[in-house]
Amino acid sequence: MATAGLPLRQLLMSLGEPLVELQAAPAGLDVPVRDVAILDPEDPPTAAAGELVLAIGARGRAALPALRAAGRAGAAAVAVKLDGPGQADALREAATEAGVALLSVRRETRWEHLDSLARAILAGPDAPDTTELMAGDLFSLAQTVAVLTGGIVSIEDTSSRVLAYSRSADSDEVDDLRRLSILGWQGPEPYLSKLREWGVFQHLRTSDSVIEIDAHPELGIRRRLAIGIRAGAQPLGTIWVQEGSQPLAPLAEQALVGAARVAAAKLVRRRRELSADVRLTQTLLTGLLEGSTGPQSLATHLGLDLHRPATVLAYTAATGAGAEGRDVELTRAEVTGLISVHTAARHRSALLAPIDSRVYVLLPELPPGLPPATLRSWAHEVVEAARDHLGVPLRAAIGSTVDGLADVPGSRAQADRILDAMGRGGVVPDVAALIDVQADVLVSEVLALLQERRELRDPRLSALAEYDRRHGTRLAESVLAWLDALGEVRVAADALHIHPNTLRYRVRRAEQLTGIDLAQPQQRLLTMLQLRLPPEH
């Protein structure tokens, strides 16, 4: 049994994203966790001070008694499984009232695995290694790097043990080193000694730059690129990219720089040498983007400067062809991985948060006076890479550059406004800042206001739309086309594929039925806006 206790923060860092997600921490993240207790659904809800209570079998609201009992006993946290997203709010409220932390556990997680892992972490530095939790993340990263570089990728630790590798469609492209490394989960010693002799390992331990290793046909070795994975001065491992039958992509080195930074964030959890945990960072970042958490928590957690410029980039899948027949979750994971690698290559402190159907990138600590064209080019790189390597069409929005982290929610809100406008159709670019779609953004927001507040609408225009619906006419559509054409009858008639005289008749008929005077500029403006509202049913 653990008695000294481990801060909840450190337990969450060790457990990591694959298993649990922090939902509430009313007493903070420094409360000590001293032991793990399993609460069977048939047992009365009990707990002890400092315990992590695993409420097995009590899904959703059924866990409320366990939360209240844990709070009364001074337990550190309660872990539950949720049946649906709607249950989280009620449980968070109950946890806050009880003063106990709430952790949600992934539905596919086995309770006995979480129990044994948590106990091992609490046992101290002699606990079993948790490398298996990293495997899925690293294999996904290796595959992303393979897509971006056009090569064959492996990720190794500092002892040259293979941690993950990319899939290869053609076994003939794989050279002897790659084959032996995968089969033996470690590079063959004869070649490792050659790399030491050439100074490759020394470079990888001390440098952040990519190194190229020429092909050696006599050793059965093809050309390679490699980069060290490092956390500050501490080496964590290496990413290797073997060239196959085709040359590596022109931007392969840039992709490797980004991948090394992403890999470092994943590996430090296992090494327990840094204080930043991916899940905790995601929670704080999401809270900042949504405006529910202040900037100080994230800044303190990651050592960020609160008062340096920052920008939010937002990405979403464009409508239309591109990903038909693909697994949605796999595509989402591939796109997220691609965005993270490209962005990390351009900005060391970049942070990424998928929220609903969008992926947000926070770029903190930007250099003052960074040209807007630079941000636009970074976003273009991601959009082009997603199209070229994954066949997925993306749209990207560039939020405003703000003075500090406190204003980040405003940058995210602007990026959302831009994506909303881009999604409504029309001729829009794949990458846009507010200046590119300002008219679309403002008009769409006026329309949203008109749709929400019926008292702001002209009832005569509402009656015209109802007349069309009951009689099968197209008067409103014709008036809108005439207004959009600035009164040019032939242009509007051609757009509707009708005779100009028919259009003139419809406009006059609409004025007669409603009593509106389209000669008045204000009436024309309101009519153009209101007739753009979606039809009511």
Side-chain angles (χ1 to χ4, degrees):
M1 175 183 296
T3 55
L6 186 73
L8 177 60
R9 180 192 313 273
Q10 292 187 29
L11 179 64
L12 290 174
M13 291 174 188
S14 297
L15 287 174
E17 179 183 358
L19 292 179
V20 299
E21 180 176 352
L22 178 66
Q23 296 291 340
L29 295 175
D30 293 320
V31 296
V33 183
R34 299 186 177 90
D35 201 2
V36 182
I38 294 178
L39 181 61
D40 191 275
E42 297 182 0
D43 294 336
T46 59
E51 284 184 338
L52 166 61
V53 179
L54 308 183
I56 67 173
R59 289 180 178 267
R61 292 179 178 272
L64 290 174
L67 276 171
R68 296 180 183 122
R72 289 192 298 269
V78 176
V80 302
K81 291 186 177 181
L82 304 178
D83 282 328
Q87 297 176 347
D89 293 338
L91 290 175
R92 276 195 292 265
E93 182 178 349
T96 301
E97 291 177 358
V100 64
L102 173 65
L103 311 180
S104 60
V105 181
R106 292 202 174 192
R107 299 178 65 179
E108 63 272 21
T109 300
R110 295 171 56 189
W111 282 112
E112 60 269 28
H113 176 56
L114 177 58
D115 176 46
S116 62
L117 180 59
R119 291 180 187 276
I121 293 168
L122 293 177
D126 294 330
D129 198 354
T130 58
T131 306
E132 67 274 10
L133 294 181
M134 300 279 305
D137 282 348
L138 288 179
F139 274 87
S140 175
L141 177 63
Q143 193 61 35
T144 296
V145 177
V147 169
L148 293 175
T149 62
I152 304 167
V153 178
S154 62
I155 301 175
E156 300 179 3
D157 65 11
T158 52
S159 299
S160 298
R161 288 188 296 263
V162 177
L163 301 175
Y165 52 90
S166 64
R167 301 182 297 273
S168 178
D170 186 358
S171 60
D172 292 334
E173 292 189 338
V174 177
D175 67 12
D176 291 344
L177 171 60
R178 160 80 174 195
R179 188 175 295 106
L180 290 173
S181 297
I182 299 303
L183 291 177
W185 289 91
Q186 189 170 6
E189 181 55 36
Y191 187 67
L192 296 181
S193 63
K194 284 287 187 182
L195 294 179
R196 285 190 286 269
E197 179 183 329
W198 297 331
V200 172
F201 287 130
Q202 177 65 21
H203 174 93
L204 295 173
R205 282 194 299 269
T206 59
S207 173
D208 290 326
S209 63
V210 175
I211 186 172
E212 178 178 354
I213 300 98
D214 292 333
H216 289 270
E218 74 279 7
L219 298 174
I221 304 301
R222 297 193 182 192
R223 175 176 174 258
R224 270 172 172 69
L225 298 179
I227 189 171
I229 305 170
R230 303 167 72 239
Q234 177 66 44
L236 300 175
T238 310
I239 303 178
W240 300 85
V241 179
Q242 179 217 300
E243 193 173 70
S245 58
Q246 299 296 322
L248 296 176
L251 295 179
E253 292 192 17
Q254 178 183 309
L256 269 183
V257 171
R261 295 173 184 170
V262 173
K266 298 177 183 299
L267 288 174
V268 292
R269 284 184 293 172
R270 180 171 68 94
R271 298 290 293 260
R272 300 176 186 175
E273 292 174 327
L274 295 181
S275 62
D277 170 70
V278 171
R279 185 63 235 171
L280 185 59
T281 300
Q282 285 285 296
T283 300
L284 296 174
L285 174 59
T286 300
L288 175 62
L289 290 170
E290 294 179 341
S292 60
T293 303
Q296 188 64 59
S297 297
L298 183 66
T300 301
H301 184 59
L302 298 180
L304 299 175
D305 188 336
L306 279 168
H307 306 295
R308 288 183 59 184
T311 295
V312 174
L313 308 180
Y315 297 88
T316 191
T319 56
E324 293 84 348
R326 300 180 59 147
D327 182 273
V328 174
E329 288 302 319
L330 177 59
T331 300
R332 178 178 171 83
E334 289 176 331
V335 168
T336 302
L338 183 145
I339 294 172
S340 68
V341 168
H342 265 272
T343 307
R346 289 301 189 183
H347 188 60
R348 180 179 295 277
S349 301
L351 300 169
L352 184 142
I355 301 177
D356 298 327
S357 62
R358 294 177 176 178
V359 178
Y360 298 91
V361 176
L362 171 61
L363 302 174
E365 301 184 325
L366 289 172
L370 183 71
T374 299
L375 296 174
R376 191 182 293 268
S377 69
W378 292 357
H380 266 297
E381 285 180 1
V382 171
V383 170
E384 291 172 358
R387 181 186 61 240
D388 296 343
H389 297 299
L390 301 179
V392 176
L394 290 183
R395 287 197 179 110
I398 304 168
S400 55
T401 298
V402 294
D403 293 334
L405 290 182
D407 299 319
V408 160
S411 181
R412 183 261 174 115
Q414 185 177 105
D416 278 334
R417 294 168 66 201
I418 295 167
L419 282 184
D420 290 343
M422 294 169 76
R424 292 189 180 96
V427 180
V428 295
D430 293 331
V431 177
L434 182 60
I435 193 173
D436 302 309
V437 291
Q438 193 153 20
D440 301 272
V441 169
L442 296 178
V443 168
S444 67
E445 290 178 357
V446 172
L447 292 178
L449 182 64
L450 286 174
Q451 190 161 9
E452 180 181 346
R453 299 181 56 185
R454 297 180 60 88
E455 71 274 14
L456 298 180
R457 304 183 203 173
D458 187 332
R460 298 172 297 177
L461 295 173
S462 300
L464 180 63
E466 176 62 20
Y467 180 90
D468 278 343
R469 190 187 66 80
R470 286 189 287 107
H471 294 87
T473 53
R474 300 170 61 189
L475 301 182
E477 177 189 27
S478 300
V479 169
L480 181 58
W482 178 72
L483 290 171
D484 284 347
L486 302 179
E488 293 286 343
V489 173
R490 289 193 178 277
V491 173
D494 288 345
L496 296 175
H497 306 292
I498 60 176
H499 194 276
N501 288 338
T502 302
L503 179 69
R504 293 188 181 95
Y505 166 77
R506 289 180 181 178
V507 173
R508 287 196 303 271
R509 180 63 175 156
E511 288 182 302
Q512 292 167 357
L513 285 172
T514 61
I516 61 176
D517 183 4
L518 293 176
Q520 296 182 10
Q522 294 90 342
Q523 182 65 65
R524 290 199 301 272
L525 176 60
L526 178 59
T527 301
M528 288 182 72
L529 288 170
Q530 188 168 327
L531 292 186
R532 277 181 160 78
L533 292 176
E536 296 181 343
H537 299 287

